[in-house]
Amino acid sequence: MLYPTATNWLNAPRKQVMLFGMSGLGKTYLANLLREGGGWFHYSIDYRIGTRYMGEYIADNFKREAMKVPLLRELLLTDSVYISSNITFDNLAPLSTYLGKPGDPAKGGLPFDEYMTRQDQHRAAEIAALADTPHFIARAKALYGYPHFICDTGGSICEVINPYDPDDALMSALRPHVLPVWIKGSDAHTAELIRRFDRAPKPMYYQPEFLHAAWADYQRETGHAPEKIDPDAFVRWTYARALAHRAPRYAAMAQNWGITLSAEEVTRIRTPGDFDTLIAAKLPD
C-alpha cells in the first residue's frame, strides 16, 4: 500500500488517491471539493475516456446522424460546419448517449451486436485511461505544480480488472502510485440509486459475460424478441442486478489494495483537512 500507516499518509508531501465505487455515492463530490480546496489535481477517468479515447467515435456518431439531414449533409461535405461533443467533468452525456441501449430501434435502441461493439470500445478506453494515471500524476506535478492527485474513476472499474486476483496487471501498475479508496453505500443508498436510475435510466458499461446473461434472461422473462425490447425497460431491469454484481467486486478491490469509506462518512467531509483526517483514521497507526 502506498501509505501503509496513518503517519505515512499525514506526513506525505504528495497525497495520491484513487476513488472507486458506484456512481452517485460521492466520488465526484470529493474530487470537486479537493480540487476547489487547492493543491489537488482532479483526473477524471470518464472525462479522459470521452475526450481522448472515444472522442472520435462520439463525434462520428453525431456526424452520421447529421448526414441524414440534407442541409447538414451538404455543409458537412463542404467542411462548412464543425461537429464535436462538449464533454465536461459534470456533463458526460455525449459519452453515455454514444454507448446507447439495446432494443427496439423505434424507441432509440441499438441492435445488440452494435451495442456490444460500443461496449467493447468503452472497455478498451477505460483500461487505457486508467493506465494513464501515473502519467497524469507526473504531469500534474511537473506542468502545473500540484502536490496532490485524485483519480475519480468510473463505476465500471471493477469490471475491467480482476478484483479477486491480487496480482491483477492493471492494479499492479496502479498500486505504487495511488491509494485506492472504496466509497461504500448502504442498503438505503442502493435503494435510492435504483429509484434515481428508474427516473432517468442511462447507458452504462457492463462486463460482457454479465451483459450477455442479462440480455438472455430478460428475453426469457419477458418473451420479447430482441428488436421489440424497450431499451429503457431493459437497462432499468439490469441496473439493480449490476449493483448486486459489483458490490462484492468492489469489496475485493478494497481488501486487496485499499481502504473503505462509507458514503455517510463522505457526506460529512467539508474540507481537504476533513478528508485527510478520515483517510488517516482508516489506516493502521
Side-chain angles (χ1 to χ4, degrees):
M1 191 177 291
L2 184 58
Y3 309 100
T5 69
T7 299
N8 293 139
W9 164 258
L10 292 172
N11 293 337
R14 301 184 66 184
K15 296 181 172 65
Q16 298 161 192
V17 300
M18 181 182 79
L19 304 178
F20 66 94
M22 282 302 300
S23 297
L25 293 179
K27 297 193 304 292
T28 301
Y29 162 76
L30 271 184
N32 287 337
L33 182 149
L34 293 174
R35 183 184 71 234
E36 292 166 4
W40 286 82
F41 183 90
H42 177 190
Y43 177 52
S44 166
I45 294 297
D46 284 339
Y47 179 80
R48 179 70 169 167
I49 290 170
T51 53
R52 171 63 176 84
Y53 292 108
M54 293 189 71
E56 187 171 301
Y57 295 134
I58 294 167
D60 283 354
N61 193 49
F62 291 161
K63 292 172 186 175
R64 190 175 298 111
E65 293 302 313
M67 287 289 283
K68 299 175 184 177
V69 180
L71 174 62
L72 294 178
R73 176 185 173 84
E74 181 179 345
L75 292 172
L76 281 170
L77 290 174
T78 57
D79 292 325
S80 299
V81 295
Y82 176 74
I83 296 178
S84 67
S85 68
N86 187 28
I87 289 179
T88 67
F89 284 2
D90 299 316
N91 180 15
L92 298 165
L95 174 58
S96 60
T97 298
Y98 175 74
L99 278 178
K101 308 164 189 174
D104 187 347
K107 296 180 179 179
L110 294 170
F112 191 73
D113 287 347
E114 173 61 23
Y115 175 68
M116 290 306 301
T117 294
R118 299 185 187 194
Q119 289 276 306
D120 290 343
Q121 291 167 350
H122 190 283
R123 178 181 180 84
E126 185 164 5
I127 291 170
L130 286 164
D132 285 343
T133 300
H135 164 71
F136 272 89
I137 291 173
R139 186 169 181 256
K141 176 63 176 175
L143 189 58
Y144 302 112
Y146 283 100
H148 310 308
F149 180 93
I150 185 161
C151 176
D152 176 9
T153 71
S156 53
I157 183 175
C158 67
E159 309 280 18
V160 300
I161 66 164
N162 181 353
Y164 306 112
D165 178 6
D167 297 318
D168 177 82
L170 183 52
M171 287 304 297
S172 293
L174 292 173
R175 64 190 299 184
H177 302 280
V178 290
L179 172 67
V181 178
W182 177 29
I183 300 180
K184 179 183 179 181
S186 63
D187 290 343
H189 286 113
T190 299
E192 176 55 29
L193 289 178
I194 292 171
R195 284 193 294 271
R196 192 184 306 170
F197 192 89
D198 282 346
R199 290 194 297 270
K202 66 176 185 177
M204 292 171 52
Y205 171 78
Y206 301 98
Q207 189 181 55
E209 295 82 1
F210 169 84
L211 191 52
H212 279 287
W215 185 244
D217 289 346
Y218 189 77
Q219 290 177 69
R220 280 194 296 269
E221 184 173 308
T222 63
H224 295 319
E227 66 278 7
K228 295 299 182 181
I229 288 175
D230 184 316
D232 283 345
F234 172 72
V235 296
R236 286 189 180 102
W237 182 90
T238 303
Y239 182 71
R241 287 156 181 78
L243 295 186
H245 167 75
R246 289 180 176 180
R249 300 178 72 87
Y250 291 138
M253 288 179 64
Q255 181 177 357
N256 283 329
W257 301 294
I259 62 173
T260 302
L261 305 182
S262 72
E264 291 91 344
E265 290 171 321
V266 168
T267 63
R268 295 194 289 269
I269 295 175
R270 294 290 181 269
T271 67
D274 292 343
F275 178 73
D276 287 351
T277 299
L278 182 57
I279 294 293
K282 302 295 181 175
L283 293 168
D285 292 334

